[in-house]
């Protein structure tokens, strides 16, 4: 996996370095991605990104900490500036890009030509977003004068993707850095019914443009389809007729690598830290298994079970295998097999003996319960409660108002959150 990219090994198997790119919508998710083995993370700052409405984005002042943290773990950083840009955005764009260059952010992900041109002028590495809907090698050739990485349109098949990667080698298409252009695709997460996410539903209905990061997810709602002439209702087998299942490719990851893809992108900047951790870790393990020749159906099933425990609307492999129609979800929200129930907040950490203290604020806790810790510096971490100490004494159960302690090898901060993991009977 560590060999350099050359025309001889560009498009074939695990001879090249595959980059696993994880989402980060918060410091909790950022640390979770790092802990789970991400090679790079992508995130937004300010409101000029496609998740500006759905999450509390990082601010420009956070870039220094993000860059420093990721640099210390040898994780690359990519800032998304991928919305449609208007004239009144130009000053903010320049301000953002100046901070990007100042803090040493590794690349910007963008579509708008104003951002592309400014990145070229300022010599900032650039990745072309999937919103550009790049679907052929001629467009790759065109964007090579601006960038080094292109996120292909989500609607392409692996056959089409492989043709593009092979043509990059045959034509010797090199990006602005002088290296061969790299191809990136989404491998896991939410999908949109629109072409590469370029949807106008919420703009038409609520004057909230999805292409400006303000999607109201109209497609995730149930609709009644009625014949306006007769008044008859159309019988459909799924009321969520515009809401696709989530993308999952862990069972075809070897085929994706064989197609010459070099960057594997996980969707989810609006998702929780445990989602980022679980998904990133599963795909990291799958990549390692492929490299070692131990990628088996049995392992794939275990990964699938773990992926089902976190947020999902059901899974399918997208259009990569040539499907003409998508698969649509039957539920408006997640069908994860696990859910987290908030129970306690961090109150102290005894570093000399490695013991964490939490104050119970809700529910009950018993020995043997599965726990999830989420914190700004912790990221997300699961553990099984072997011994439960309540108010300093070994006990069978803790309730609201109690202080609980247990051994934990990493520092816990005040306000870190503790959850109990329970099976979701409705999943």
């Amino acid at each position: 996996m560590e060999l350099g990219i050359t025309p001889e090994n560009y498009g074939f198997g695990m001879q090249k370095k595959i980059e696993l790119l994880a989402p980060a919508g918060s410091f909790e998710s950022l640390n979770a991605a790092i802990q789970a083995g991400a090679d790079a993370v992508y995130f937004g700052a300010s409101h000029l990104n496609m998740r500006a409405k759905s999450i509390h984005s990082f601010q420009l002042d956070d870039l220094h900490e993000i860059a420093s943290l990721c640099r210390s773990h040898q994780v690359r950083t990519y800032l998304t500036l991928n919305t449609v840009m208007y004239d009144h955005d130009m000053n903010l764009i320049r301000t953002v890009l100046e901070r990007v260059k100042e803090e040493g952010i590794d690349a910007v992900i963008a579509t708008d030509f104003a951002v592309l041109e400014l990145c070229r002028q300022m010599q900032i590495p650039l990745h072309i977003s999937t919103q550009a809907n790049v679907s052929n090698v001629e467009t790759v050739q065109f964007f090579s004068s601006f960038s080094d990485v292109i996120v292909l349109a989500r609607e392409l098949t692996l056959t089409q993707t492989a043709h593009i990667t092979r043509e990059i080698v045959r034509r010797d298409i090199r990006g602005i850095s002088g290296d061969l252009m790299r191809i990136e695709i989404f491998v896991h997460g939410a999908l949109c019914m629109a072409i590469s996410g370029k949807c106008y539903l919420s703009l038409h209905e609520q004057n909230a443009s999805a292409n400006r990061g303000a999607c109201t997810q109209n497609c995730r709602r149930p609709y009644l389809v009625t014949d306006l002439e007769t008044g008859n209702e159309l019988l459909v087998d799924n009321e969520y007729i515009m809401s696709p299942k989530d993308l999952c490719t862990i069972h075809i990851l070897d085929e994706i690598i064989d197609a010459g893809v070099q960057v594997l992108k996980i969707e989810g900047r609006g998702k929780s830290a445990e989602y980022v951790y679980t998904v990133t870790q599963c795909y990291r393990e799958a990549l390692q298994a492929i490299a070692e020749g131990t990628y088996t159906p049995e392992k794939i099933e275990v990964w699938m079970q773990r992926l089902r425990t976190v947020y999902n609307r059901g899974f399918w492999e997208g259009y990569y295998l040539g499907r003409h129609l998508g698969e649509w979800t039957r539920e408006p929200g997640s069908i994860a097999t696990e859910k987290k129930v908030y129970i306690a907040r961090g109150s102290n950490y005894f570093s000399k003996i490695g013991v964490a203290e939490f104050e119970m604020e809700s529910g009950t806790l018993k020995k043997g319960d599965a726990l999830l810790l989420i914190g700004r510096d912790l990221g997300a971490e699961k553990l099984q409660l072997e011994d439960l100490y309540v108010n300093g004494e070994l006990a069978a159960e803790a309730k609201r108002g109690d202080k609980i302690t247990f051994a934990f090898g990493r520092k816990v901060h005040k306000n870190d959150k503790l959850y109990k993991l329970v099976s979701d009977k409705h999943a």
Side-chain angles (χ1 to χ4, degrees):
M1 290 179 63
E2 302 297 336
L3 295 181
I5 301 166
T6 68
E8 287 72 31
N9 67 26
Y10 177 90
F12 305 97
M14 296 297 293
Q15 293 172 303
K16 59 188 180 298
K17 172 66 177 177
I18 306 297
E19 180 176 287
L20 183 59
L21 176 58
S26 65
F27 277 105
E28 289 83 356
S29 294
L30 177 63
N31 277 291
I34 292 170
Q35 293 158 15
D39 296 303
V41 292
Y42 67 103
F43 50 90
S46 79
H47 61 274
L48 300 178
N49 70 87
M50 296 296 283
R51 295 294 182 270
K53 181 179 184 295
S54 61
I55 62 174
H56 178 66
S57 294
F58 292 114
Q59 301 303 309
L60 289 184
D61 288 341
D62 294 321
L63 292 186
H64 179 76
E65 184 176 354
I66 292 169
S68 298
L69 175 64
C70 290
R71 200 174 296 121
S72 69
H73 289 87
Q74 297 182 315
V75 171
R76 289 176 288 281
T77 50
Y78 306 143
L79 177 74
T80 58
L81 279 175
N82 55 348
T83 61
V84 171
M85 304 296 181
Y86 297 143
D87 281 325
H88 65 256
D89 296 319
M90 292 302 113
N91 286 337
L92 177 57
I93 293 170
R94 289 185 177 90
T95 298
V96 172
L97 292 178
E98 286 169 359
R99 291 296 295 273
V100 163
K101 195 169 181 66
E102 177 184 336
E103 301 297 349
I105 300 299
D106 290 290
V108 165
I109 303 172
T111 303
D112 194 286
F113 276 91
V115 182
L116 270 58
E117 178 59 25
L118 284 171
C119 284
R120 181 162 64 175
Q121 291 176 13
M122 299 173 69
Q123 296 184 321
I124 295 173
L126 178 70
H127 297 180
I128 303 300
S129 170
T130 191
Q131 270 75 35
N133 195 34
V134 176
S135 304
N136 58 75
V137 73
E138 301 299 336
T139 308
V140 173
Q141 180 85 63
F142 172 79
F143 279 122
S144 66
S145 62
F146 292 93
S147 69
D148 293 299
V149 178
I150 288 183
V151 191
L152 292 183
R154 300 188 189 193
E155 296 72 36
L156 293 185
T157 66
L158 289 184
T159 300
Q160 292 171 309
T161 301
H163 172 74
I164 290 172
T165 61
R166 284 169 172 76
E167 283 297 292
I168 288 172
V169 175
R170 189 182 72 83
R171 300 188 189 188
D172 195 31
I173 301 175
R174 296 181 179 271
I176 199 166
S177 69
D179 294 329
L180 285 170
M181 289 292 291
R182 293 194 295 154
I183 292 301
E184 175 180 325
I185 68 169
F186 281 89
V187 293
H188 195 93
L191 285 173
C192 178
M193 69 166 192
I195 297 294
S196 290
K198 296 172 72 173
C199 179
Y200 292 89
L201 276 178
S202 59
L203 177 64
H204 287 311
E205 183 166 316
Q206 298 183 15
N207 196 32
S209 175
N211 302 297
R212 292 278 291 175
C215 180
T216 55
Q217 294 197 327
N218 300 61
C219 62
R220 302 297 185 187
R221 304 171 188 168
Y223 287 88
L224 185 65
V225 183
T226 305
D227 185 325
L228 294 179
E229 291 188 5
T230 65
N232 292 332
E233 297 177 1
L234 292 178
L235 179 63
V236 293
D237 64 356
N238 188 336
E239 63 179 2
Y240 297 95
I241 56 175
M242 294 186 290
S243 180
K245 291 182 179 179
D246 286 356
L247 176 67
C248 178
T249 65
I250 205 160
H251 59 298
I252 60 168
L253 203 59
D254 54 343
E255 297 180 56
I256 288 174
I257 292 167
D258 285 340
V261 176
Q262 293 174 274
V263 184
L264 308 180
K265 188 172 192 174
I266 297 168
E267 184 276 338
R269 280 187 290 135
K271 301 292 199 326
S272 64
E274 72 269 18
Y275 171 92
V276 173
Y277 182 84
T278 299
V279 176
T280 304
Q281 187 180 59
C282 285
Y283 278 85
R284 168 54 63 209
E285 292 175 7
L287 283 172
Q288 191 64 35
I290 293 171
E292 296 172 350
T294 60
Y295 180 74
T296 63
E298 292 76 19
K299 285 189 174 182
I300 291 171
E301 180 54 35
V302 171
W303 292 320
M304 290 295 296
Q305 290 176 9
R306 287 163 56 189
L307 291 170
R308 292 187 188 104
T309 66
V310 292
Y311 191 101
N312 73 89
R313 297 184 178 96
F315 293 133
W316 70 307
E317 72 283 345
Y319 298 99
Y320 293 138
L321 300 184
R323 295 206 190 198
H324 295 293
L325 293 174
E327 289 192 12
W328 311 104
T329 183
R330 295 183 177 275
E331 300 290 339
S334 176
I335 59 170
T337 58
E338 277 185 356
K339 66 178 181 179
K340 64 180 189 287
V341 179
Y342 174 72
I343 56 170
R345 188 179 300 274
S347 56
N348 206 343
Y349 184 73
F350 305 97
S351 57
K352 290 184 178 180
I353 56 175
V355 169
E357 179 188 83
F358 285 81
E359 183 171 351
M360 293 285 293
E361 294 188 341
S362 177
T364 61
L365 187 62
K366 296 180 180 179
K367 176 181 178 179
D369 283 343
L371 303 180
L372 171 68
L373 279 74
I374 295 180
R376 190 182 189 278
D377 297 329
L378 279 176
E381 189 159 337
K382 293 181 179 181
L383 69 150
Q384 199 82 23
L385 189 61
E386 296 180 358
D387 292 309
L388 174 62
Y389 286 86
V390 179
N391 302 321
E393 296 183 359
L394 197 62
E397 184 179 67
K399 60 184 183 302
R400 183 178 178 181
D402 288 337
K403 286 194 175 182
I404 62 172
T405 52
F406 51 86
F408 192 65
R410 299 176 59 203
K411 185 176 181 180
V412 171
H413 296 274
K414 289 186 177 182
N415 297 325
D416 285 352
K417 294 179 180 179
L418 183 66
Y419 299 86
K420 181 166 64 175
L421 293 173
V422 299
S423 176
D424 191 338
K425 297 179 182 179
H426 301 290

